Amino acid sequence: MQTKRPAAVALAGALCLAATACGASPSPTAKAAAGTSAPGYPVTLKNCGATTTYTKAPSRVVVMNGASVAEVSSLLALGLGDRIVANQQSYGRSEVPGRAAAIKKLPTGHITRNDAYDVPREAMLGLAPDLVLSTTSYGFDAKNGFATRADLTSVGANSYISPGGCDQDTSHMTIDDSYQLLRDLGKIFNVGGRAEKLITESRKRISGISAKVKGEKKPNVMVVFSNMSMGGNDFSSIAAHGIWNDILDKAGASNAFASTSKSAFADLSKEKVAAEQVDALVVISYNDPDPEAYARKLLKEFPQWPAAKNERSLVLSDSIYLGPSNDLAVEKIATLLHPNDV
């Protein structure tokens, strides 16, 4: 890999740690300022071993980094950007027109990040949130310098861990987890109708594309984060298991490196990467100023790949990760691999 960027620390922490159990203690009800429930409330949600109750829609939301844009993108897709008082998520680009610019305009809370490139405990409590969102339980682990779910409960704030992130192992995430995230946020903010509309539209679009490519030969695709190093080998940010595999399947493709690791990512030597048949390359851009250059570099480095011979590559960002726009990733990958069908 060319560069070991600081963001790799956060990505590795959020996605690649060994599984640990979420806190199992139920949290008390978060009290509304007036002490009574707003129309449509109370709403009770079971989330990663904790039971949280909302007596009104949150208005001071903190979105933790987690090397993700799932939570902030979902809030924006639901029209809830005005509820955010501090956002730490950004990929620097998006497949959704205007989304990257909208994320950039959100308040950050003017906090100084900790060594995990996220909101430290004291800064979090100082933001006086009423809801904190984290992609995995990593964001509420005291060992990582974060406010715990119990800490937040003690100051009247609820906490939420996104689907598939309870044990910090994201290797089993699917598109359905993206839908669950939207559905849960819809309940929390009393905008369930908006959430269901987004889910219905996404399902319809994906099923339509899948029907068009059904029966076609599935090309082997390499999915890799651009200029990212998370291990000891030349290639340590190759996606092996997770939501990207569900997206590839729906787009009529297979992950070329699924058999090389049981976890979310594979950490491989250059020789092992060279030995695989890669029919197409998908580069995930995580705050990389020129991911297209990285894609060109890989195709040049492995000229024996069918992907290199056919110049078949694609750069994606937020749509291939947990979030509200997986249908765009399915469409773009299917169009790359099956142009005559889609």
Side-chain angles (χ1 to χ4, degrees):
M1 310 294 280
Q2 289 180 338
T3 309
K4 187 171 183 178
R5 294 185 284 121
V9 178
L11 186 68
L15 304 183
C16 304
L17 291 181
T20 57
C22 295
S25 300
S27 62
T29 300
K31 302 294 184 181
T36 57
S37 297
Y41 293 89
V43 170
T44 299
L45 202 67
K46 291 184 178 180
N47 175 242
C48 294
T51 299
T52 53
T53 300
Y54 301 81
T55 55
K56 64 177 181 178
S59 60
R60 294 189 58 81
V61 182
V62 175
V63 184
M64 299 190 72
N65 180 4
S68 173
V69 283
E71 293 73 29
V72 70
S73 295
S74 296
L75 288 173
L76 289 176
L78 290 168
L80 300 169
D82 61 337
R83 310 299 177 91
I84 299 171
V85 295
N87 169 58
Q88 301 302 314
Q89 296 184 347
S90 173
Y91 271 18
R93 62 190 288 166
S94 171
E95 278 72 72
V96 179
R99 178 174 289 163
I103 291 174
K104 190 175 182 179
K105 291 179 181 177
L106 292 172
T108 64
H110 303 291
I111 59 97
T112 300
R113 293 185 178 190
N114 59 14
D115 291 341
Y117 296 92
D118 218 326
V119 186
R121 180 182 184 277
E122 295 306 319
M124 176 65 77
L125 298 179
L127 289 168
D130 55 8
L131 174 62
V132 179
L133 304 178
S134 179
T135 305
T136 71
S137 58
Y138 179 87
F140 299 121
D141 192 332
K143 296 192 300 291
N144 303 323
F146 300 130
T148 66
R149 302 188 84 175
D151 289 335
L152 293 167
T153 296
S154 70
V155 295
N158 271 319
S159 55
Y160 177 85
I161 299 170
S162 290
C166 295
D167 58 3
Q168 302 178 27
D169 178 8
T170 61
S171 64
H172 303 293
M173 275 187 180
T174 67
I175 295 172
D176 280 339
D177 288 315
S178 292
Y179 296 152
Q180 189 62 52
L181 173 58
L182 285 170
R183 190 168 282 123
D184 285 348
L185 291 176
K187 292 177 181 177
I188 291 170
F189 289 91
N190 196 24
V191 291
R194 296 182 205 170
E196 292 303 327
K197 182 180 180 181
L198 290 173
I199 293 168
T200 299
E201 291 174 349
S202 176
R203 286 190 188 279
K204 182 178 180 181
R205 193 172 189 182
I206 290 175
S207 62
I209 293 168
S210 294
K212 291 179 181 179
V213 301
K214 186 177 181 179
E216 296 291 339
K217 182 179 179 180
K218 292 188 172 184
N220 292 318
V221 178
M222 177 184 187
V223 179
V224 60
F225 276 81
S226 178
N227 283 315
M228 187 73 73
S229 178
M230 296 188 292
N233 285 292
D234 295 324
F235 294 88
S236 56
S237 62
I238 298 173
H241 296 282
I243 192 169
W244 21 73
N245 286 12
D246 192 16
I247 288 171
L248 289 174
D249 180 66
K250 298 292 193 299
S254 298
N255 189 329
F257 293 90
S259 64
T260 63
S261 173
K262 293 182 179 180
S263 61
F265 291 91
D267 184 4
L268 305 175
S269 66
K270 181 178 178 179
E271 291 72 24
K272 179 64 177 177
V273 172
E276 294 292 336
Q277 175 178 309
V278 176
D279 298 312
L281 172 66
V282 174
V283 169
I284 304 177
S285 176
Y286 178 77
N287 289 314
D288 188 339
D290 196 353
E292 285 80 10
Y294 179 70
R296 291 192 297 269
K297 171 184 174 293
L298 283 185
L299 294 180
K300 185 177 180 180
E301 190 172 1
F302 300 100
Q304 75 278 11
W305 284 350
K309 296 174 182 178
N310 297 317
E311 297 183 343
R312 186 178 286 178
S313 67
L314 177 67
V315 172
L316 295 175
S317 55
D318 56 346
S319 65
I320 199 169
Y321 193 68
L322 182 73
S325 308
N326 296 151
D327 56 312
L328 296 182
V330 172
E331 180 185 48
K332 288 179 181 295
I333 293 171
T335 300
L336 175 72
L337 303 177
H338 306 286
N340 296 325
D341 298 310
V342 179

